[in-house]
Amino acid sequence: MTKKQRPSSASALPLHTQSQFKDKPIPSDGSFGPGVFAGRLTLRRIILAVGGVLFVYITITTIFGPTPEHLRDGPKAILKENDPYDLPKDNNGYNRYNRGGQPVPKTITFPKKEDPGDVQNPPRQPEQREPEPPNEVKQGSGSELGGSGLDDAGLKNQDTKGDDDTPLGTGDNKNSNGNLNGNVVASIDDEEALDELEAETQVGETPLSIATKARNKLPISYAQLLNANKREFDYAVALLLREADLALKNTAVYSVTNKPQTAPSGDIHDYLSLSKYYWPNEADPSAPYIRRDGYVNPEIETVRDYRLMRTMIREVHIMGMAYHFTGNKVYADKCAMRLKEWFLDEATYMNPNINYGSLQKGKKLGERTGVLDMFPIFRVFDALHYLKQEPTWPKDLIPALQEWFTRYVKWLETSILAKVERAGNNNHGTYFDVQIIGIYMFLDRMDDARAIAKAAIQKRIDIQITGEGRQPEELARKTSWYYSVFNLQALMTLARWGDDLGVDMWHYVGPEGQSIKKAIDFMLPYVFTNGEGWPVKNIKGFPMGDFLKCVQIAWNIYGEEKYMDAIQVLDPLIQKDMEAGKLKTITTYLCDISTLLEANTRGGRGLIWHWCLT
């Protein structure tokens, strides 16, 4: 059988259908009438012709025609009113700040193009913007670093970063003088911060612009600052390790049982110290001692409980910091031994009270002033924060110490001596607060610590400082300069505790203008006169070492140039005295760094910081 051939698709169509798509031939005689033309107008050719005409028309009008009215102002981008990520609006409908800190209009309109005249629709040119001044910055924050001994002019450091998280002051961020320069773009989420920043922007200054101007005045580059920073850190740690190594080699026993006489109780484990300003009554040697304020009776050294306890506290703190910076467990082991020796060991422990502190010979009970003997104990608690991280640290030691201090703080809360000391309106009351807050925090009694800090605003600042900045109770002392500084140190330590507890004492101002800052400012002018003009009697001169510490902290907290001016005067004098052996060689560098990192910061706990003052 032969295979049947399939017809082609064309031959399969009806004849009338084929004829509709087939062009008719032009007559051979040349005639070309309407009928012939109609025969050539197929559907396909009609569509092509109409499409071509439309294409030519649209092309010509687009290129050469006028710009439509609704496009002459340029395109607009409209921000949605209900955008959940939209920033707050002001009265003019503006989003207050974009992420760079500049106002953003609710409707962003691109620049309108000017009509060039005879030329229609000129090509769009890129928008030309004026360059920003190099020192003009947007919004952000920064911090400054003032370190002791780094530079006579006082060094400052910006710990800020640029848009690419590169520290400012390196590479292209230096200005022509090699100084630090750069801008920071920061996000703002807090509406109150927006309000404050908007007000600052309206007057042309922001915290960052102020900080940047000060930063640009530095006489050194960021590389020089890093170099000085590392060298000063190495020097501070080397001094610390030298003292820690001396403590490590010391084999003496620190204990209340070492004294040649017992307290009136007859218990060798009771702490005993003698009042340093009390002397024998020359008219009646058998009578109780009498007070000679400002003059220390050397007899106090015959009972060494005070000296040994203060040495133990200092050495545990120094060795604890040495462990922190080196990781060498020998420091931790010696600290554990010292703490057990003083507080816990059966043969050498101290009873948890100071009933016989500042005893005046001829009396049966100590004085309220003896309570102050224990106030630096917070240094031990600082050291324990680091020491407990040593893997071989005795796990039962801190709980045993907490049990001891639970009993001791109960004595502070209930004893007559402690209650009278607590009520004091001078440095004794202030240092009572310093002591008990440190213990409460060690025992994790944070609410009790916070209550002390809050009460200190009225009890210590309002009562102890005048609106002029005087400390009347301290000015009444014969060594009025020393005690004014001494109480100021306690107030500033309380303010640091307040940072950890959510109580701002640094910036508190009382109803009559009382403040910690006023107390510093009252004493500040006498730095430049070596005490000349001091308004009250003062014996034993004007030692400036401890006041320099206060001024350095004031510089780091408040940042006013007058404090740096005082530091530039005092620091060379103190350095000279240390080189001559008149003062112990120290550096407050670690204190300064810690102040910048932790002061005014909630929860910093002030670790390392405390040796700044006491």
Side-chain angles (χ1 to χ4, degrees), residues 304-322:
R304 296 186 58 79
D305 287 3
Y306 172 89
R307 186 71 61 195
L308 292 177
M309 182 172 68
R310 289 293 183 93
T311 301
M312 179 274 298
I313 290 172
R314 185 183 69 253
E315 289 188 355
V316 168
H317 182 239
I318 289 294
M319 289 190 292
M321 295 302 105

Side-chain angles (χ1 to χ4, degrees), residues 94-106:
Y94 279 77
N95 288 308
R96 291 189 184 142
Y97 299 96
N98 62 14
R99 295 184 69 84
Q102 297 297 323
V104 177
K106 176 179 172 182

Side-chain angles (χ1 to χ4, degrees), residues 517-563:
K517 186 175 182 297
K518 278 281 186 70
I520 301 169
D521 292 349
F522 175 79
M523 303 180 70
L524 196 65
Y526 304 102
V527 166
F528 305 98
T529 66
N530 195 28
E532 184 177 349
W534 184 245
V536 297
K537 182 178 179 180
N538 180 64
I539 64 175
K540 298 187 178 180
F542 294 85
M544 292 290 176
D546 286 337
F547 188 60
L548 173 59
K549 298 176 185 178
C550 296
V551 176
Q552 287 173 318
I553 292 170
W555 161 253
N556 288 324
I557 297 293
Y558 304 113
E560 295 184 10
E561 292 297 330
K562 62 185 177 184
Y563 301 125

Side-chain angles (χ1 to χ4, degrees), residues 4-282:
K4 187 175 180 179
Q5 298 293 324
R6 294 182 60 189
S8 67
S9 59
S11 62
L13 294 174
L15 290 178
H16 71 275
T17 304
Q18 297 180 43
S19 63
Q20 290 179 4
F21 295 93
K22 188 174 182 65
D23 292 340
K24 295 182 180 181
I26 298 175
S28 57
D29 58 1
S31 61
F32 191 71
V36 175
F37 178 78
R40 296 184 60 85
L41 288 179
T42 64
L43 179 61
R44 179 178 61 187
R45 289 177 174 171
I46 292 172
I47 293 173
L48 289 175
V50 173
V53 171
L54 289 175
F55 174 78
V56 172
Y57 173 79
I58 293 172
T59 301
I60 293 172
T61 56
T62 300
I63 296 175
F64 301 104
T67 302
E69 183 67 26
H70 69 283
L71 294 179
R72 290 187 180 182
D73 288 336
K76 295 181 180 180
I78 307 300
L79 297 179
K80 294 181 179 180
E81 287 291 341
N82 59 351
D83 185 353
Y85 298 99
D86 198 4
L87 293 174
K89 310 291 192 303
D90 63 14
N91 294 332
N92 297 320
Y94 279 77
N95 288 308
R96 291 189 184 142
Y97 299 96
N98 62 14
R99 295 184 69 84
Q102 297 297 323
V104 177
K106 176 179 172 182
T107 301
I108 305 173
T109 304
F110 292 95
K112 181 178 179 180
K113 300 303 177 181
E114 297 294 336
D115 187 357
D118 295 336
V119 180
Q120 293 182 326
N121 290 336
R124 180 182 292 272
Q125 298 296 325
E127 180 184 355
Q128 300 297 319
R129 296 186 179 182
E130 295 182 3
E132 294 183 2
N135 293 335
E136 189 172 305
V137 294
K138 297 182 180 178
Q139 185 277 333
S141 61
S143 62
E144 296 177 341
L145 169 80
S148 172
L150 296 186
D151 187 270
D152 287 340
L155 304 182
K156 307 171 190 173
N157 174 33
Q158 281 287 347
D159 207 12
T160 49
K161 294 179 180 293
D163 292 340
D164 58 353
D165 289 334
T166 303
L168 299 181
T170 58
D172 293 336
N173 288 321
K174 289 183 181 180
N175 61 23
S176 59
N177 296 324
N179 296 338
L180 306 179
N181 187 21
N183 295 340
V184 175
V185 177
S187 61
I188 304 176
D189 297 320
D190 186 78
E191 188 162 347
E192 291 184 5
L194 287 173
D195 292 334
E196 294 176 5
L197 188 57
E198 183 174 26
E200 292 169 347
T201 304
Q202 290 174 355
V203 298
E205 292 285 6
T206 67
L208 182 57
S209 67
I210 295 170
T212 301
K213 289 176 182 178
R215 188 176 187 236
N216 290 339
K217 295 178 181 178
L218 286 178
I220 61 171
S221 68
Y222 189 73
Q224 291 171 315
L225 178 61
L226 285 177
N227 182 42
N229 186 56
K230 181 64 166 67
R231 294 179 187 278
E232 191 70 16
F233 173 80
D234 291 344
Y235 176 67
V237 173
L239 282 177
L240 183 153
L241 293 180
R242 183 185 70 173
E243 190 170 351
D245 288 342
L246 291 174
L248 196 63
K249 296 173 183 177
N250 189 344
T251 59
V253 175
Y254 295 165
S255 170
V256 295
T257 61
N258 280 351
K259 54 183 173 285
Q261 65 187 83
T262 61
S265 65
D267 188 343
I268 194 65
H269 293 284
D270 277 337
Y271 175 88
L272 173 65
S273 65
L274 302 179
S275 291
K276 64 180 182 178
Y277 295 137
Y278 279 78
W279 295 72
N281 187 339
E282 295 179 357

Side-chain angles (χ1 to χ4, degrees), residues 576-596:
K576 184 177 179 180
D577 285 346
M578 288 192 294
E579 292 169 2
K582 297 179 181 179
L583 292 174
K584 177 182 176 181
T585 301
I586 64 169
T587 173
T588 58
Y589 172 77
L590 295 175
C591 161
D592 293 326
I593 293 295
S594 182
T595 302
L596 286 168

